[in-house]
Amino acid sequence: MRKAHDVAAVRAAEHALMATVPPGALMQRAAAGLAAVCAGLAGKVYGARIVVLAGSGDNGGDALYAGARLARRGARVTAVAAGGRVHEGGTAALRAAGGRVTGPDAPDLPAAVAGADLVLDGLLGIGGRGGLREPYSTLAGLAARAADGPGRPGPLVVAVDLPSGIDADTGVVDGPAVRADVTVTFGTWKPGLLIDPGAGHAGVVELVDIGLGPYLPAPAAAGLQAADVAALLRQPPGDSDKYRRGVLGVVAGSDRFTGAAALAVGGALRGGAGMVRLVSAGPAVAVVRQHWPEALTLATGDGSQAGHEIGKAGRVQAWVAGPGMGTDEAARDRLAAVLSTGLPVLVDADGLTLIAAERRLLARTAPTLLTPHAGELARLLGADPAEVAARRLEHARAAAAELGATVLLKGSTTVIAPAGGGEVLVNSTGTSWLATAGTGDVLSGLAGALLAQGLAVTEAAAAAAFLHGIAARRAAAGAVAAGTGGTGMDLAGAGLAAAGLAGADPAGGDAGSPIAAGDVISALPGAIRGVRAWLD
């Protein structure tokens, strides 16, 4: 698990640790780790051309001391003193090692950056707030243009602790910011390295242990990894039956949106539910019977008895309500009936629209999971969708506190804020190929299945988001046969030799080809097998 701590916790831990070690020891530990990562990236250190962008604080000192270590190994290191002052000890060490120090206005600086093998971003540390100001923004622009320029491959940009211009606590980017290829962070992850848009600026993150562990409190945020998710997934015992596997009730689909029901039911069944009971309109029920004959279905009536239909569905362990169900009075009554139960309930899509119009529907004490995208969360909070997307952590936490429910905010990085506050979970397995109609319905069914199997609401949300992303990556990479998804009759890709997490790009990229929501369903069994392999 990637545990992330906010700036206040990191500062307190550093202060406690520094009281036990000689002066400057912490900076030297950080510099040694940074230099080691840079040496690995450079390949051959002797003769490597390295530019250090050094701000006036300790972050600049870390970068300068690392530059000195590399210079002693034969690298040609140029440091740019970007601030009004520069770390004296780091500057002296670099000069003593044969490096040179120049200013941001040096005429040869653009050529030096363009010709570098590595550019170290030591402009701002974890205390930085807001976008980069001059001359920092100009220096960041030089590095970006060099990295993207024509001709020879540009320099790798290595951020020191986190990319300058990123808010360490939230991942917010308020103006110009460094976009790194690699970020070397010290002591612990920072939430801004897990959560977009900051996470998108960090590149590959390398954690260097400097001894903070014993002094750190509970994390502010955490990112689950494959082994963490594998430990959450329930393995049916030998004497299990369909009821003990988890029975999920689903209120989804309508006369107009028949596919939403099939996708939610498919996500639930492929996610391990022992049984799914669907309550939906007749046309949607017909589609589900065609694709998922194992589902038990109840066709809704004219709406006059909508609230009573939920009780007729049969016994379940959890409910999913919302995908394609409509927003009329009958849909409202069905949602109210689901929320009046004492069972865990996941609300998505149209269900969120109904809640935005009538918040009192959420007056319940049982576990509740809301799964909005940025636009839906904006409606729930009366906020600007662009602000929600830009400040994901802030708005997810606010919604969880205000609505009294766990909130899973979908997006490039999924943020899961628990109803009672505390540690936020973040998922980064998502891919841009998931930006297609119906994939959210699949996620609802998958998360609902995990709720029905007995997982706590935050665990179910995090595990579902992780598996959903891995399945999408497998599908996009061709680990399942395109076009067979959602039929419920064909385990697509069964003949492939792909195993483990094949199809998941370890670099976090979005390689592959377009997929449909049904392809994600077909890829779920392979994703679950791959994740479980981490426990074997």
Side-chain angles (χ1 to χ4, degrees), residues 474-487 490 492-493 496 513-516 518-520 522-523:
R474 288 176 58 87
V480 292
T484 59
T487 65
D490 180 19
L496 297 177
S513 59
I515 56 174
D519 300 322
V520 179
S522 290

Side-chain angles (χ1 to χ4, degrees), residues 49-450:
R49 293 161 294 186
I50 298 173
V51 173
V52 176
L53 306 179
S56 58
D58 286 348
N59 192 256
D62 296 335
L64 288 165
Y65 276 119
R69 288 172 177 267
L70 295 166
R72 286 198 295 270
R73 295 178 59 182
R76 291 183 284 171
V77 181
T78 298
V80 182
R85 56 187 176 84
V86 70
H87 192 279
E88 292 183 4
T91 302
L94 178 61
R95 283 181 169 143
R100 74 183 187 102
V101 180
T102 187
D105 299 323
D108 63 341
L109 183 57
V113 172
D117 298 300
L118 298 178
V119 174
L120 274 61
D121 161 33
L123 294 172
L124 292 177
I126 59 176
R129 292 290 184 273
L132 296 178
R133 300 173 180 85
E134 292 297 347
Y136 291 3
S137 61
T138 295
L139 293 173
L142 277 179
R145 287 190 294 275
D148 296 336
R152 65 176 292 275
L156 286 175
V157 178
V158 181
V160 180
D161 216 7
L162 84 162
S164 297
I166 307 301
D167 188 296
D169 284 346
T170 65
V172 169
V173 179
D174 272 335
V178 169
R179 189 174 291 273
D181 298 295
V182 177
T183 295
V184 181
T185 197
F186 307 129
T188 180
W189 283 68
K190 286 67 182 183
L193 297 174
L194 292 174
I195 302 166
D196 276 334
H201 285 67
V204 176
V205 178
E206 295 281 348
L207 176 63
V208 171
D209 182 7
I210 59 172
L212 295 186
Y215 306 97
L216 289 168
L224 267 62
Q225 302 299 286
D228 304 311
V229 175
L232 294 175
L233 299 179
R234 304 293 172 86
Q235 178 69 36
D239 62 348
S240 187
D241 57 49
K242 59 189 175 184
Y243 300 104
R244 283 186 283 177
R245 286 278 306 280
V247 181
L248 178 67
V250 176
V251 183
S254 58
D255 290 338
R256 181 182 179 189
F257 298 111
T258 57
L263 293 170
V265 168
L269 289 170
R270 288 286 192 249
M275 181 188 296
V276 176
R277 300 183 186 272
L278 173 70
V279 178
S280 190
V285 165
V287 171
V288 170
R289 284 174 176 167
Q290 178 182 359
H291 293 303
W292 304 104
E294 56 268 70
L296 302 183
T297 58
L298 174 67
T300 57
D302 60 6
S304 60
Q305 300 295 313
H308 299 288
E309 292 164 347
I310 301 305
K312 296 178 181 178
R315 192 174 69 177
V316 300
Q317 277 80 53
W319 281 98
V320 167
M325 70 182 291
T327 56
D328 58 12
E329 190 64 26
R332 182 263 173 211
D333 290 345
R334 294 184 189 106
L335 178 61
V338 166
L339 290 170
S340 70
T341 68
L343 299 172
V345 175
L346 181 153
V347 184
D348 186 35
D350 287 343
L352 297 172
T353 300
L354 291 167
I355 287 173
E358 189 178 351
R359 281 199 182 186
R360 63 180 180 177
L361 290 171
L362 281 179
R364 65 195 311 262
T365 57
T368 308
L369 174 60
L370 309 181
T371 58
H373 54 60
E376 290 166 335
L377 189 61
R379 287 198 295 274
L380 286 167
L381 293 175
D384 178 4
E387 274 293 295
V388 172
R391 301 175 181 273
R392 301 176 57 76
L393 179 60
E394 173 186 332
H395 287 90
R397 279 176 167 162
E402 195 171 316
L403 301 172
T406 296
V407 173
L408 182 156
L409 175 56
K410 293 180 280 196
S412 51
T413 51
T414 296
V415 177
I416 301 156
E423 179 182 289
V424 169
L425 298 179
V426 182
N427 179 66
S428 58
T429 63
T431 165
S432 57
W433 294 120
L434 276 170
T436 187
T439 55
D441 303 334
V442 177
L443 176 63
S444 293
L446 172 58
L450 296 175

